[in-house]
């Protein structure tokens, strides 16, 4: 409830009887007519009596009856007393001694009107919004009966529930068609601002309030509730509760006593000073706040500002302060304290008004600028239109689209679609939703590079230099790119192709895509499809959907603005598939050279030529790529980097890059060759160089921290001694001082080694029954051992391992034997042979079948070699592949398992430093396997000297660079007879009683240090030992190439939880 402006002039006193029947529902009516219009039901007394006193008595009787029904004896007594007095007495009546009840001898009794927002201060009109219809009806009844002229206004101690003190006044809704105003009023009573209402008990009200003279009552026509115009008279204090509120009586009745206003002392300096300060603050407030200014100007005409008490009430009544602060002003009886509290309130209002004015000025400034710009733009548009310089927005858009395709070579279908859409756009209104859809579609159609092709680099040497500058090794990829350039040069046209780079993480598959684009002078675009499930990411959404947009390939053409970019599709082996579609099926068209010349995006729905795009896909393994999709791509496998390649990459790329990015520079870091070799062999065995880069970055960071700390310590020491010149010299020395990383302090920077040799036996000397095999994994190559031990059923001593005497000088015997828990004869195969074999090591189904084939063939082979040797037929054998936590499977372990069983049967070990791979048939043939490069890298890492490989893998081995084969002697065999002759020492085993049954063995021996060649990297390391008769040729730097040992392992290792496929 704010201050009511004094602009309203009342012709007659506001408490005249004419106001008793006045309402906003219609013109003033007679008392009887007003009662009939306000209530549909009338009592007999109301209809028969035309006198005011009789009406008051009937109203009092009704109040009494309601009070009795509610069990309120005090209300009943008060109502009965009012009825007996007639028109001359009653609660809150206009007669009877200023509103006193009864005969005028007792204290005044008033109905208490609860005020929610703020207390009422004497002296000026106030509008009170009443949202509860029952309270307003009760006031109307009191007014008609002559008892509601005076009320007691008491503020509630607490705000009602779900009530915000700063709620804005809501708009008043109007009834819908066909809905009665009374029904709407009952259902939407909550839409009115709540200034007053009802409470549950008198205890919820403050003790000090104000006598309110009711000036006018108004019922809202279309909503529940109304407003009450009151004039606060003077302060009162409630002394006793006459009656509590009840369901039938909305307001409580209380006895009150009038409070006298404090006397203003004459000549009091505090009062005068506070009075003047309040006036000065109000003047500042009126300058700042328009709301205060409007109210003050209308009220000041009827107020005496020279009176401190009236001024305090005026300022407090206009203030927007907290309820508790305003109530304390109303209660205060000391004039000085009251003025102090009012001054505090008005000061807070002034600060709030200043802040509000500041925010308003900032907002208005921004709005003014924007409005000015819009106005000028509109004026400029009209001026250009009058001069014919520019057409309207629609014609301008059409002109822009036509200019965008003017110099482009569009296909016939795309041209027809664009023309149709432009004609459609010209007929649409800019305000329609279809206009924006058509506009967006034309923007995509016209922004594509139709027929635009960037010239391609045709200089072979330039492209080769760029590829060598960015990457070391990767000759297969570089050779393929140079071939592509040569074909484009001969055909004199730009060609597209689909290539897939398959290799372990960190070998440079993604970065090689950028180098390919730079070497070909093409634009580059990359997007990853790992985990992609939605086909719309590739083909786009149909235009019927809200927010539809084209797929990635159309976005690529828009961004690159060329029809022949290099598109890198990353992680294509990790595509997802669900109910939204199968993206791999969408790639069948995109990556098919016979179909992608007319690729249709769901959004554009016109053919787009992708045949000139060079697609480069990357994958860690090709096994998860669907077969039809893999068939459309040219697969280039990247096996990883060996030790020498990693050394060269570190020296040429990684060390300079990490030194620069860390801020130390190459002149402050000195990494010894031995430390780098140890870092590669014992810390970074993965196939790629990503972990090696991380280790070098860690070293660079620690070096940077050490340099900064040393510099700070030197400055502090020089400052403490006061020697500025010496500090400068010391700092200069620190600037050029290098940090040396050696074998001794390497662990200080990067911790302890993560990897050790995979060899289980010293110097590669394996016991009988143990053979080193070679494996391929998605992370590179690895070595693994196959162990076989066994014993005869009645023999207490087992065979295999180091348990039996052997010609190689082993004397100790081991009593430990392997017992099979499933040795029940009922579980053995139906055969005359009592021996059986148990296989462990978490092998897959393929390796289990290989073990069964190996056992069958080994039994036959040993019997052919020595008919008296029946160990494999009768013994209980246990075949194990170590690291049982790692799953293993693949068709390449047959030869290794058969060699282990034959070694166990003969009780003779294999030659030291010998490894083999190959699949075995029941007739002894050795079949071709895959992953030769990875397996050779693993063999070199473990210092193997002799390799036994399948005959049909000779071509794969010959394609390897010489630095990968350095120090290795590879034997290519076609039958197990040759494996037997090559793997065992002829002096310790029996000779074959028949000539070998396979093709002739081909042996390839590569010197430990190959001659200088441009094909491979220059090997770096220390001394090595020649193998298989190879010679150690010194390098140009004077150091011979070292033999790969466990301490100098190169290329990819296998983590403990990685899945090994063989």
């Amino acid at each position: 409830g704010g201050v009511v402006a004094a602009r309203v002039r009342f012709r007659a006193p506001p408490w005249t009887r004419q106001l008793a029947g006045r309402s906003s529902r219609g013109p003033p009516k007679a008392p009887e007519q007003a009662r009939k219009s306000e209530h549909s039901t009338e009592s007999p007394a109301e209809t028969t009596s035309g006198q005011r006193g009789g009406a008051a008595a009937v109203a009092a009787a009704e109040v009494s009856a309601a009070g009795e029904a509610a069990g309120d004896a005090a209300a009943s007594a008060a109502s009965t007393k009012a009825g007996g007095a007639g028109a001359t007495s009653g609660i809150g009546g206009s007669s009877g001694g200023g509103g006193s009840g009864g005969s005028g001898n007792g204290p005044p009794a008033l109905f208490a009107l609860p005020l929610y927002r703020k207390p009422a201060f004497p002296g000026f009109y106030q509008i009170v919004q009443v949202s509860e219809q029952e309270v307003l009806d009760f006031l109307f009844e009191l007014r008609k009966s002559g008892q509601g002229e005076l009320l007691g206004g008491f503020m509630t101690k607490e705000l009602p529930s779900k009530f915000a003190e700063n709620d804005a006044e809501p708009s008043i809704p109007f009834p819908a068609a066909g809905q009665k105003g009374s029904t709407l009023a009952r259902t939407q009573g909550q839409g009115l601002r709540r200034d007053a209402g009802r409470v549950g008990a008198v205890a919820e009200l403050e003790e000090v309030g104000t006598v309110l003279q009711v000036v006018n009552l108004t019922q809202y026509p279309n909503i529940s509730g109304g407003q009450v115009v009151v004039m606060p008279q003077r302060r009162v204090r409630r002394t006793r509760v006459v009656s509590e509120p009840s369901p039938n009586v909305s307001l409580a009745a209380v006895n009150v006593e009038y409070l006298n206003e404090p006397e203003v002392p004459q000549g009091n300096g505090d009062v005068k000073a506070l009075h003047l300060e309040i006036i000065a603050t109000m003047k500042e407030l009126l300058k700042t706040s328009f709301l205060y200014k409007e109210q003050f100007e209308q009220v000041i005409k009827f107020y005496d500002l020279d009176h401190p008490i009236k001024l305090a009430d005026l300022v407090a009544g206009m203030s927007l302060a907290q309820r508790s602060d305003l109530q304390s002003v109303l209660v205060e009886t000391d004039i000085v304290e009251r003025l102090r509290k009012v001054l505090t309130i008005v000061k807070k209002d002034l600060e709030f008004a200043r802040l509000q004015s500041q925010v308003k000025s900032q907002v208005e400034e921004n709005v003014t600028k924007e409005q000015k710009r819009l106005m000028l733009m509109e004026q400029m548009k009209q001026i250009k239109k009058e001069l014919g310089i520019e057409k309207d927005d629609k014609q301008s858009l059409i002109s822009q689209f036509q200019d965008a395709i003017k110099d482009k070579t569009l296909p016939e279908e795309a041209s027809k679609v664009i023309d149709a859409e432009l004609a459609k756009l010209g007929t649409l209104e800019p305000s329609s939703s279809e206009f924006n859809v058509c506009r967006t579609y034309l923007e995509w159609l016209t922004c594509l590079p139709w027929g635009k092709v960037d010239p391609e680099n045709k200089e072979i040497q330039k492209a080769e230099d760029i590829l060598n500058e960015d990457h070391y090794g990767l000759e297969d990829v570089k050779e393929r790119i140079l071939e592509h350039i040569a074909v484009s040069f001969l055909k004199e046209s730009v060609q597209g192709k689909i290539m897939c780079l398959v290799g372990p993480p960190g070998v440079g598959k993604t970065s090689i895509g950028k180098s390919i684009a730079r070497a070909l002078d093409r634009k580059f675009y990359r997007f990853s499809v790992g985990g992609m499930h939605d086909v719309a990411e590739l083909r786009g959404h149909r235009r019927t959907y809200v927010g539809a947009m084209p797929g990635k390939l159309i976005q690529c053409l828009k961004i690159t603005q060329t029809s022949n970019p290099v598109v890198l599709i990353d992680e294509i082996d990790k595509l997802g598939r669900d109910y939204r579609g199968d993206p791999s099926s969408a790639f069948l068209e995109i990556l098919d050279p016979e179909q992608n010349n007319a690729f249709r995006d769901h959004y554009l729905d016109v053919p787009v030529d992708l045949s000139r795009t060079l697609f480069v896909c990357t994958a860690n393994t090709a096994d998860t790529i669907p077969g039809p999709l893999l068939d459309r791509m040219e697969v280039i496998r990247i096996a990883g980097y060996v030790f020498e390649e990693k050394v060269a990459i570190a020296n040429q790329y990684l060390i300079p890059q990490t030194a620069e990015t860390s801020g130390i520079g190459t002149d402050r870091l000195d990494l010894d060759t031995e430390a780098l070799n140890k870092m590669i062999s014992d810390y970074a065995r993965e196939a790629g160089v990503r972990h090696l880069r991380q280790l070098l970055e860690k070293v660079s960071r620690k070096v940077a921290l050490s340099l900064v700390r040393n510099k700070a310590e030197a400055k502090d020491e020089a400052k403490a001694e006061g020697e500025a010149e010496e500090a400068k010299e010391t700092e200069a020395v620190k600037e050029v001082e290098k940090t040396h990383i050696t074998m001794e302090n390497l662990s200080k920077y990067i911790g302890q080694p993560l990897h050790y040799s995979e060899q289980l036996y010293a110097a590669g000397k394996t016991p009988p029954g143990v053979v080193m095999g070679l494996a391929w994994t998605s992370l590179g190559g690895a070595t693994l051992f196959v162990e076989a031990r066994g014993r005869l059923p009645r023999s207490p001593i087992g065979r295999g391992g180091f348990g039996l005497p052997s010609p190689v000088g082993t004397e100790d015997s081991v009593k430990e034997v392997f017992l099979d828990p499933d040795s029940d004869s009922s579980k053995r195969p139906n055969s005359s042979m009592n021996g059986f074999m148990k296989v462990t090591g978490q092998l897959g189904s393929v390796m289990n079948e290989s073990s069964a084939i190996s056992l069958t063939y080994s039994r036959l082979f040993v019997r052919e070699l020595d008919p008296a040797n029946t160990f494999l037929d009768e013994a209980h054998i246990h075949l194990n592949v170590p690291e049982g936590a790692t799953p293993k499977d693949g068709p390449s372990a047959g030869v290794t398992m058969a060699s282990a069983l034959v070694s166990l049967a003969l009780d003779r070990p294999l030659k030291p430093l010998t490894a083999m791979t190959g699949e075995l048939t029941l007739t002894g043939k050795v079949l071709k396997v895959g992953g030769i490069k990875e397996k050779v890298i693993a063999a070199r890492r473990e210092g193997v000297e002799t390799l036994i490989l399948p005959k049909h893998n000779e071509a794969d081995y010959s394609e390897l660079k010489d630095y990968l084969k350095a120090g290795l002697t590879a034997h290519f065999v076609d039958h197990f007879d040759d494996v037997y002759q090559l793997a065992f020492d002829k002096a310790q085993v029996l000779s074959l009683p028949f000539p070998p049954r396979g093709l002739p063995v081909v042996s390839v021996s590569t010197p430990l240090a190959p001659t200088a060649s441009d094909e491979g990297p220059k090997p770096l390391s220390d001394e090595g030992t020649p193998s298989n008769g190879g010679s150690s040729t010194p390098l140009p730097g004077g150091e011979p190439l070292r033999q790969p040992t466990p301490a100098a392992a190169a290329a990819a290792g296998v983590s403990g939880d990685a899945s090994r496929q063989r």
Side-chain angles (χ1 to χ4, degrees):
V3 177
V4 179
R7 67 181 73 160
V8 183
R9 299 291 188 267
F10 297 99
R11 298 179 181 272
W15 51 86
T16 58
R17 295 186 179 182
Q18 293 181 358
L19 294 178
R22 177 169 296 180
S23 172
S24 60
R25 298 177 179 177
K29 303 176 183 179
E32 294 295 335
Q33 295 177 351
R35 285 195 297 272
K36 291 181 181 180
S37 63
E38 293 294 330
H39 297 278
S40 59
T41 58
E42 299 176 350
S43 64
E46 290 176 338
T47 57
T48 58
S49 174
Q51 303 296 327
R52 183 176 180 83
V58 172
E62 291 177 355
V63 173
S64 175
E68 290 174 354
D72 194 342
S76 176
S79 300
T80 304
K81 186 182 296 184
T88 61
S89 63
I91 298 177
S94 59
S95 302
S100 62
S103 61
N105 297 327
L110 300 172
F111 283 108
L113 179 65
L115 302 177
Y116 293 155
R117 294 180 176 271
K118 58 191 299 186
F121 288 90
F124 48 88
Y125 293 106
Q126 186 170 347
I127 296 178
V128 179
Q129 304 282 3
V130 179
S131 61
E132 298 176 357
Q133 185 63 36
E134 58 269 19
V135 176
L136 192 66
D137 292 342
F138 183 74
L139 294 178
F140 271 114
E141 292 296 333
L142 291 178
R143 188 65 178 269
K144 293 173 186 178
S145 62
Q147 301 185 34
E149 184 177 335
L150 296 180
L151 300 173
F154 297 91
M155 192 180 71
T156 58
K157 295 180 180 179
E158 301 291 340
L159 284 173
S161 59
K162 300 181 181 179
F163 184 92
E165 187 176 0
N166 57 348
D167 284 347
E169 181 177 356
S171 59
I172 301 177
F174 294 94
Q179 185 178 6
K180 296 182 179 181
S182 60
T183 304
L184 184 66
R186 299 302 177 186
T187 58
Q188 295 182 341
Q190 67 275 14
L192 192 68
R193 190 187 70 202
R194 300 173 63 186
D195 291 335
R198 61 182 302 171
V199 294
V202 179
E204 300 179 18
L205 303 177
E206 298 283 352
E207 291 187 1
V208 178
T210 314
V211 175
L212 305 178
Q213 179 182 352
V214 179
V215 178
N216 191 14
L217 291 174
T218 304
Q219 169 72 49
Y220 286 121
N222 298 319
I223 194 171
S224 173
Q227 67 180 18
V228 183
V229 181
V230 297
M231 167 64 79
Q233 297 291 339
R234 58 185 301 182
R235 291 171 170 82
V236 293
R237 183 191 306 275
R238 62 180 173 86
T239 58
R240 188 176 66 86
V241 179
V242 177
S243 64
E244 293 283 356
S246 64
N248 297 322
V249 181
S250 301
L251 300 181
V254 296
N255 286 123
V256 298
E257 63 176 358
Y258 294 106
L259 300 179
N260 297 324
E261 296 292 345
E263 295 291 337
V264 179
Q266 299 294 331
N268 191 318
D270 293 340
V271 173
K272 185 176 182 179
L274 292 171
H275 184 196
L276 296 177
E277 182 64 23
I278 292 175
I279 294 176
T281 307
M282 281 298 298
K283 291 181 179 179
E284 290 291 330
L285 184 59
L286 296 178
K287 296 178 183 179
T288 307
S289 175
F290 176 78
L291 177 63
Y292 282 95
K293 182 179 180 181
E294 183 182 14
Q295 295 184 16
F296 192 80
E297 287 178 352
Q298 295 175 0
V299 178
I300 193 63
K301 301 175 183 179
F302 308 97
Y303 249 77
D304 184 11
L305 297 182
D306 295 334
H307 199 284
I309 295 179
K310 293 184 177 180
L311 177 65
D313 289 343
L314 172 64
V315 173
M318 295 173 56
S319 175
L320 301 177
Q322 298 290 329
R323 302 168 69 252
S324 57
D325 297 338
L326 296 177
Q327 181 67 23
S328 65
V329 173
L330 185 68
V331 174
E332 185 60 51
T333 57
D334 185 73
I335 182 62
V336 177
E337 288 301 322
R338 183 183 295 183
L339 292 176
R340 290 185 188 277
K341 293 180 179 180
V342 171
L343 180 60
T344 303
I345 289 175
V346 75
K347 289 287 187 182
K348 292 181 179 179
D349 288 346
L350 179 60
E351 292 299 326
F352 178 75
R354 287 175 178 173
L355 178 61
Q356 187 179 14
S357 177
Q358 180 181 0
V359 174
K360 179 181 177 182
S361 62
Q362 293 176 355
V363 173
E364 287 181 349
E365 181 180 358
N366 295 334
V367 173
T368 303
K369 289 181 179 179
E370 185 64 22
Q371 290 178 346
K372 182 179 179 181
R373 190 186 69 84
L374 293 176
M375 182 182 65
L376 293 176
M377 291 293 295
E378 192 66 27
Q379 291 178 356
M380 183 175 63
K381 185 186 300 182
Q382 293 297 330
I383 293 173
K384 288 184 177 181
K385 187 175 181 180
E386 291 294 333
L387 296 176
I389 300 176
E390 184 177 346
K391 301 179 181 179
D392 57 2
D393 291 341
K394 187 191 301 184
Q395 294 298 327
S396 177
L397 279 175
I398 295 176
S399 300
Q400 290 178 8
F401 292 144
Q402 291 174 346
D403 294 339
I405 62 175
K406 182 172 57 177
D407 299 329
K408 296 179 180 179
T409 305
L410 275 74
E412 182 180 357
E413 184 176 349
S415 180
K416 291 181 179 180
V417 171
I418 292 176
D419 292 341
E421 291 294 326
L422 288 175
K424 178 182 177 181
L425 186 67
T427 61
L428 296 174
E429 290 295 330
S431 58
S432 66
S433 59
E434 185 67 20
F435 181 85
N436 292 326
V437 174
C438 183
R439 173 181 176 177
T440 306
Y441 182 50
L442 282 171
E443 287 176 352
W444 278 102
L445 282 174
T446 56
C447 72
L448 295 182
W450 300 103
K452 181 182 178 181
V453 178
D454 289 344
E456 190 175 85
N457 174 36
K458 297 181 180 179
E459 298 182 12
I460 297 293
Q461 188 59 42
K462 177 183 176 181
E464 188 173 3
D465 293 342
I466 292 175
L467 294 174
N468 290 333
E469 178 183 349
D470 293 343
H471 291 81
Y472 186 87
L474 303 180
E475 283 79 8
D476 296 341
V477 182
K478 297 177 181 178
E479 189 72 17
R480 181 63 187 87
I481 299 304
L482 297 179
E483 292 172 359
H484 176 83
I485 296 176
V487 172
S488 299
F489 177 76
L490 294 178
K491 295 189 65 175
E492 297 182 355
S493 63
V494 177
Q495 303 296 318
K497 205 65 181 175
I498 298 98
M499 292 183 287
C500 183
L501 307 179
V502 180
V507 296
K509 300 185 297 298
T510 302
S511 59
I512 195 65
K514 299 179 181 179
S515 298
I516 291 173
R518 201 161 71 91
L520 296 176
D521 283 343
R522 290 194 185 189
K523 300 290 183 60
F524 178 75
Y525 183 83
R526 172 194 173 274
F527 70 95
S528 177
V529 296
M532 179 184 292
H533 293 268
D534 196 355
V535 178
E537 292 287 332
L538 300 174
R539 288 188 172 273
H541 305 83
R542 300 193 182 277
R543 295 198 305 277
T544 54
Y545 296 107
V546 177
M549 62 185 304
K552 287 289 186 182
L553 296 172
I554 302 300
Q555 296 177 32
C556 162
L557 297 180
K558 177 185 177 182
I559 293 173
T560 58
Q561 284 298 304
T562 180
S563 297
N564 62 329
V566 175
V567 179
L568 179 68
I569 305 175
D570 222 349
E571 309 294 349
I572 199 171
D573 59 327
K574 300 175 181 63
L575 281 171
R577 182 178 183 180
D578 62 2
Y579 64 93
R580 287 168 290 186
D582 184 7
S584 62
S585 300
F587 273 118
L588 294 179
E589 178 187 359
I590 298 172
L591 301 181
D592 190 347
E594 302 299 328
Q595 301 181 41
N596 61 9
N597 58 348
F599 169 72
R600 280 185 180 270
D601 186 88
H602 286 165
Y603 182 83
L604 297 182
D605 200 22
V606 294
V608 179
D609 187 7
L610 299 177
S611 60
R612 296 180 178 180
T613 303
L614 176 59
F615 291 98
V616 179
C617 306
T618 66
N620 294 126
T621 177
D623 297 338
T624 56
I625 303 177
L629 179 59
L630 188 64
D631 183 63
R632 285 164 167 77
M633 298 184 293
E634 181 181 352
V635 179
I636 301 176
R637 298 188 180 274
I638 304 176
Y641 301 107
V642 294
F643 176 83
E644 291 80 8
E645 289 177 328
K646 287 188 177 182
V647 170
I649 292 172
N651 289 324
Q652 298 180 21
Y653 302 97
L654 301 183
I655 294 178
Q657 290 176 5
T658 54
E660 292 299 328
T661 54
S662 61
I664 61 176
T666 55
D667 56 341
R668 300 181 186 176
L669 177 63
D670 184 12
L671 183 61
D672 290 350
T673 303
E674 293 79 6
L676 178 61
N677 295 343
K678 182 176 179 61
M679 185 184 299
I680 294 173
S681 60
D682 293 351
Y683 292 85
R685 282 193 180 181
E686 77 283 356
V689 292
R690 185 171 294 156
H691 187 54
L692 178 59
R693 176 192 290 273
Q694 295 172 358
L695 292 174
L696 292 173
E697 290 175 349
K698 187 175 182 179
V699 171
S700 300
R701 291 194 302 267
K702 290 187 176 296
V703 170
L705 178 60
S706 176
L707 291 175
V708 173
R709 283 178 174 173
N710 293 340
K711 189 182 299 185
E713 292 175 359
K715 287 183 179 180
D716 294 340
E717 293 176 0
K719 185 177 180 180
E721 297 176 359
E723 301 175 356
E725 296 297 331
E726 183 177 352
K728 292 181 180 180
E729 295 177 0
T730 305
E731 184 176 351
V733 172
K734 294 290 183 181
E735 288 289 339
V736 299
E737 181 181 357
K738 282 190 175 183
T739 301
H740 296 277
I741 309 298
T742 61
M743 292 280 289
E744 288 74 18
N745 62 1
L746 181 63
S747 60
K748 173 185 175 182
Y749 291 91
I750 58 177
Q752 297 301 320
L754 304 177
H755 304 284
Y756 295 94
S757 173
E758 293 181 355
Q759 287 192 7
L760 301 179
Y761 306 96
K765 295 181 179 180
T766 58
V770 179
V771 180
M772 181 190 297
L774 300 175
W776 176 92
T777 72
S778 60
L779 302 179
T783 60
L784 77 163
F785 288 86
V786 176
E787 303 173 332
R789 296 195 67 180
R791 69 174 180 86
L792 295 174
R794 292 173 297 277
S795 175
I797 301 178
R799 179 182 296 186
F802 292 105
L804 290 177
S806 64
V808 294
T810 319
E811 288 131 2
D812 297 336
S813 62
V814 178
K815 300 295 183 181
E816 178 185 0
V817 296
F818 283 86
L819 297 178
D820 190 278
D822 299 331
S823 59
D824 188 2
S825 60
S826 62
K827 299 182 181 181
R828 298 175 186 172
N830 294 327
S831 173
S832 60
M833 296 178 292
N834 296 325
F836 66 93
M837 182 175 68
K838 180 174 71 174
V839 181
T840 58
Q842 199 176 164
L843 306 183
S845 58
V846 178
M847 291 192 70
N848 278 319
E849 291 182 358
S850 297
S851 64
I853 295 173
S854 301
L855 177 62
T856 301
Y857 181 78
S858 299
R859 285 171 173 172
L860 298 175
F861 181 80
V862 172
R863 188 170 296 179
E864 291 176 346
L865 192 65
D866 184 7
N869 191 337
T870 61
F871 180 81
L872 296 179
D873 297 333
E874 302 176 358
H876 296 176
I877 303 172
H878 188 164
L879 185 70
N880 177 58
V881 180
E883 299 183 23
T886 304
K888 312 170 188 69
D889 200 9
S892 63
V895 172
T896 309
M897 292 180 176
S899 300
L901 293 174
V902 172
S903 173
L904 178 67
L906 300 179
D907 200 17
R908 296 294 183 267
L910 272 70
K911 293 180 180 178
L913 300 176
T914 299
M916 62 185 67
T917 183
E919 186 58 25
L920 189 66
T921 68
L922 285 175
T923 59
K925 298 290 288 186
V926 180
L927 302 182
K928 181 180 179 180
V929 295
I932 293 298
K933 183 176 181 179
E934 290 85 351
K935 293 177 180 180
V936 170
I937 292 174
R940 287 204 58 197
R941 181 177 67 239
E942 299 304 326
V944 173
E945 297 178 354
T946 304
L947 289 179
I948 299 178
L949 305 175
K951 176 74 173 180
H952 297 289
N953 287 115
E954 181 181 357
D956 299 330
Y957 185 82
S958 63
E959 291 179 356
L960 300 180
K961 302 300 179 182
D962 288 343
Y963 64 86
L964 296 176
K965 302 180 291 184
L968 294 177
T969 298
H971 304 283
F972 300 95
V973 298
D974 181 61
H975 198 275
F976 188 79
D977 295 346
D978 300 319
V979 176
Y980 173 76
Q981 291 182 331
L982 295 170
F984 293 93
D985 190 353
K986 296 181 179 180
Q988 298 181 1
V989 296
L990 299 174
S991 300
L992 288 175
F994 44 80
R997 287 165 283 191
L999 297 176
V1001 177
V1002 177
S1003 299
V1004 178
S1005 180
T1006 305
L1008 186 60
T1011 57
S1013 174
D1014 295 337
E1015 295 179 351
K1018 296 179 180 180
L1020 302 173
S1021 203
D1022 42 15
E1023 298 183 11
T1025 304
S1027 66
N1028 296 329
S1031 60
S1032 177
T1033 305
L1035 295 176
E1039 295 184 0
L1041 176 68
R1042 74 169 187 174
Q1043 166 69 18
T1045 62
V1054 178
S1055 61
D1057 57 349
S1059 176
R1060 291 183 172 178
Q1061 299 180 356
R1062 289 163 176 82

